[in-house]
Amino acid sequence: MTAGIDKLNFFVPPYYLEMTELANARNVDPAKYTIGIGQDQMAISPITQDIITLAANAAQPILTDEDRQTIDLVILGTESSVDESKAAAVVLHRLLGIQPFARGIELKEACYSATAGLQFAKEYVLAHPERKALVIASDIARYGLHSGGEPTQGAGAVAMLVTSQPRILALSDESVPYTQDIYDFWRPTGEPYPVVNGPLSNQTYIQAFETVWQEYQQRYQKTLADFAALAFHIPYTKMGKKALLAGLAQESEAEQNRILAQYEESIRYSRRVGNLYTGSLYLGLISLLENSQTLKAGDKLGLFSYGSGAVAEFFTGRLVPGYQEHLLTDAHEALLANRQALSVAAYEEVFQTPLTNENLTASTDTTAFRLTAVNDHIRYYQE
Ligand code: COA
């Protein structure tokens, strides 16, 4: 019996900033951002887009009425939650019109949590093959203006429909999760921005990949040759490449180049969007599937998930025959191409605009799902 990703979509907000403009405004050599960090553009989320609207905008286009009636689990992974208690998935469940006898929950563990959600969803549909699960990764990645992490911000959501007859990626039981208590990046309750030890987070990410990759090879008696491609969590596109080169240092140059070529396909969308936190690995997966010209049905993929704090996981899946027909490549290209570029001044203004009903009303955002008012801490949406 199999279970895996049957439908896959992402959504990013309608604004972006060119990284060269940000670099010029911060008196930094643009090559540091475009080459050193590996980012061309950064998605900017207006106040009308929160993690719930980003998630709804990602999920709505892939759901049929039949899906809405058979989804039993709505799992939302995020680290930019809008409430300490009520799960964003409960609101999302209503916005998407999912049948009422379902579970709606929110998961937290930095950028990792959607991967836990995917594994829970997989187990659920394996036990209930007639039912489905919706897993969404949704985040607004913000480090603050003029902060060290400023060039690694972004926003967006990835929605995945998990079923027992997946048409895109069949997930295997091979997986190596890895937890270690480390303060490399965290956000104390009530703080608007995370506390980050950038060098430590880079180091821990690389060490975590090396550890789970070694363990995976030993545990399952597999080698790099078993894989057509690897997809990585991508806080910025240089990060996965660093881990890849460190973790695969023992491999031949030809093997490293084979995997690196696929990695380049996996970062095409992230270069234009920036950091999606929980969604970054899955945006990378979508980019890989939609841009690689050499992948084919039956190919085995490895996915490396990393959330600071830290939890990592290496897991695998196989591409299902006909998977290409279920990709939304044209829609994704249009979504990215139709965004509006902001100046640095406009980006800073968006960033600092307080969440008030007056500002929400004045917004020109016309996205299908958007926040329209907040009264007594209750959020109201255009649906
Ligand atoms: N041209 C080309 N490359 C340049 C450059 C230039 N003019 N100037 C610097 N670079 C390169 C550096 O050599 C470095 O590359 P390397 O790491 O491959 O050696 C890269 O750009 C970044 O430079 P660095 O000095 O390390 O940047 P920084 O001190 O501003 O920190 C981050 C970068 C990513 C650590 C910081 O943005 C951050 O804290 N981000 C948030 C945390 C995060 O994303 N962690 C990842 C794991 S989840």
Side-chain angles (χ1 to χ4, degrees):
M1 180 115 51
T2 60
I5 300 172
D6 187 50
K7 298 183 189 176
L8 187 56
N9 190 33
F10 75 84
F11 178 79
V12 292
Y15 306 110
Y16 72 93
L17 177 64
E18 291 288 351
M19 295 304 285
T20 50
E21 291 192 23
L22 181 64
N24 290 334
R26 300 293 181 253
N27 289 317
V28 168
D29 179 355
K32 175 177 175 180
Y33 291 174
T34 58
I35 299 169
I37 284 175
Q39 292 302 135
D40 297 323
Q41 297 169 347
M42 184 166 90
I44 311 293
S45 205
I47 55 166
T48 43
Q49 293 294 315
D50 63 14
I51 57 154
I52 295 171
T53 60
L54 293 172
N57 285 314
Q60 171 90 333
I62 59 172
L63 297 184
T64 63
D65 286 343
E66 196 265 336
D67 293 333
R68 291 183 172 84
Q69 291 309 313
T70 42
I71 288 172
D72 283 352
L73 267 182
V74 181
I75 303 178
L76 189 143
T78 189
E79 55 178 305
S80 35
S81 190
V82 296
D83 195 284
E84 298 282 8
S85 180
K86 184 181 170 95
V90 173
V91 184
L92 189 63
H93 170 274
R94 178 181 63 77
L95 291 178
L96 296 174
I98 308 293
Q99 61 90 16
F101 302 103
R103 296 190 180 106
I105 55 165
E106 186 174 313
L107 296 183
K108 174 175 72 180
E109 174 21 52
C111 300
Y112 166 76
S113 62
T115 299
L118 190 59
Q119 297 291 9
F120 298 156
K122 176 186 138 220
E123 297 304 325
Y124 184 82
V125 300
L126 281 173
H128 308 86
E130 305 302 318
R131 309 300 292 175
K132 299 178 183 178
L134 180 63
V135 179
I136 305 110
S138 186
D139 270 302
I140 297 171
R142 284 188 163 187
Y143 289 85
L145 300 176
H146 303 273
S147 66
E150 187 178 27
T152 67
Q153 300 176 121
V158 176
M160 298 177 270
L161 187 69
V162 178
T163 76
S164 61
Q165 291 173 326
R167 286 172 285 187
I168 296 178
L169 187 71
L171 294 169
S172 89
D173 283 336
E174 294 174 352
S175 118
V176 178
Y178 178 55
T179 295
Q180 45 183 345
D181 184 10
I182 289 176
Y183 278 83
D184 60 332
F185 169 114
W186 65 107
R187 184 156 70 89
T189 306
E191 294 293 324
Y193 305 125
V195 187
V196 194
N197 183 335
L200 180 63
S201 71
N202 286 351
Q203 197 184 311
T204 310
Y205 177 116
I206 294 169
Q207 174 258 333
F209 174 64
E210 291 174 322
T211 304
V212 292
W213 173 238
Q214 286 299 327
E215 175 66 20
Y216 171 81
Q217 290 177 94
Q218 281 173 13
R219 203 184 279 187
Y220 298 104
Q221 295 297 301
K222 297 270 163 57
T223 69
L224 190 60
D226 290 298
F227 290 91
L230 304 181
F232 286 76
H233 167 53
I234 310 170
Y236 56 95
T237 69
K238 187 76 170 291
M239 185 69 250
K241 187 175 182 177
K242 283 189 194 192
L244 190 159
L245 291 174
L248 307 185
Q250 308 303 324
E251 303 288 341
S252 69
E253 203 178 324
E255 276 294 87
Q256 288 184 26
N257 288 340
R258 180 176 69 83
I259 296 297
L260 265 176
Q262 299 286 19
Y263 181 75
E264 290 301 320
E265 306 300 348
S266 78
I267 62 175
R268 285 183 187 274
Y269 294 160
S270 294
R271 286 195 73 95
R272 299 166 71 182
V273 167
N275 198 349
L276 262 58
Y277 281 165
T278 49
S280 291
L281 165 62
Y282 300 100
L283 183 69
L285 173 64
I286 297 173
S287 180
L288 175 68
L289 299 185
E290 295 184 349
N291 291 298
S292 172
Q293 302 299 313
T294 54
L295 286 180
K296 56 185 187 317
D299 277 349
K300 186 180 175 86
L301 306 184
L303 292 91
F304 175 66
S305 184
Y306 176 80
S308 290
V311 179
E313 184 162 343
F314 184 81
F315 61 107
T316 72
R318 251 183 222 288
L319 289 171
V320 176
Y323 76 93
Q324 297 93 335
E325 291 155 37
H326 303 287
L327 302 175
L328 303 171
T329 314
D330 292 344
H332 292 152
E333 192 48 52
L335 176 72
L336 292 171
N338 293 335
R339 296 174 302 162
Q340 183 189 332
L342 297 185
S343 65
V344 172
Y347 145 68
E348 292 182 347
E349 193 182 321
V350 168
F351 206 97
Q352 291 171 312
T353 302
L355 183 55
T356 63
N357 286 341
E358 198 180 5
N359 288 334
L360 286 169
T361 306
S363 164
T364 53
D365 181 12
T366 56
T367 310
F369 289 99
R370 56 186 188 273
L371 184 63
T372 53
V374 184
N375 296 324
D376 297 327
H377 300 287
I378 298 173
R379 289 174 178 243
Y380 296 87
Y381 295 96
Q382 169 74 40
E383 7 181 317

